[in-house]
Amino acid sequence: MSGTRLQGFSDSDKPTNRLYQNDGHGHFIDVTKSSGLIQTGWGQGVCVGDYDNDGFDDLLVTYLGQNVLYRNNGDGTFTNVTVQAGLKNETNRWGTGCSFLDYDRDGKLDLFVANYVDFDMKSTPSQVTGNIANGEESR
């Protein structure tokens, strides 16, 4: 939902991630649905790296709330492996940027994620009224 509101969408028109494949002739094809990357969220950043050393580029997408690691299955599809990889957050975070690198030079990629401010939806002004979500007036 990058660049869009957090609320106010029907189930049929929610924004989602997008993945485009180069067709080799100067055009790109939207392969989001067929790749398994349909996910609604306030996406902020993405990085690409072969985190499991299987020869296929994997994706990490940073979000408000929970970052998501997608393992490349090698057949044009991706699987959400966030929990299996130990990346599930117990607290709400706002991941903004990320990078894969071999920081300790052990031949395995390490992951760096930059987080933004400590953000609480309950204290965010309403888009309609300008009031804080918990009923207090915004100033």
Side-chain angles (χ1 to χ4, degrees):
M1 290 174 48
S2 301
T4 64
R5 298 179 310 229
L6 290 174
Q7 301 101 0
F9 298 100
S10 68
D11 286 340
S12 64
D13 71 348
K14 285 185 178 179
T16 183
N17 298 326
R18 287 286 183 233
L19 179 65
Y20 295 93
Q21 181 179 27
N22 187 331
D23 72 0
H25 303 286
H27 299 95
F28 291 85
I29 302 164
D30 186 344
V31 295
T32 309
K33 186 174 183 179
S34 64
S35 68
L37 291 175
I38 296 279
Q39 175 158 336
T40 297
W42 206 5
Q44 299 293 295
V46 63
C47 57
V48 178
D50 184 8
Y51 91 96
D52 56 359
N53 289 330
D54 65 357
F56 302 109
D57 288 336
D58 308 299
L59 304 172
L60 183 98
V61 180
T62 61
Y63 289 98
L64 169 61
Q66 175 63 56
N67 301 324
V68 180
L69 178 63
Y70 296 100
R71 185 189 70 231
N72 186 330
N73 298 319
D75 61 1
T77 65
F78 291 82
T79 301
N80 181 337
V81 294
T82 306
V83 173
Q84 299 92 318
L87 296 176
K88 176 77 173 143
N89 292 328
E90 297 305 320
T91 59
N92 193 26
R93 292 186 178 174
W94 189 343
T96 55
C98 57
S99 181
F100 284 106
L101 67 150
D102 186 5
Y103 180 79
D104 56 5
R105 298 181 181 179
D106 66 354
K108 298 176 184 175
L109 288 181
D110 303 297
L111 174 63
F112 174 82
V113 176
N115 289 304
Y116 191 49
V117 297
D118 187 14
F119 185 76
D120 182 5
M121 288 295 292
K122 294 176 191 163
S123 63
T124 304
S126 164
Q127 296 168 356
V128 177
T129 66
N131 295 336
I132 302 293
N134 65 8
E136 298 174 20
E137 290 291 324
S138 61
R139 304 192 199 284

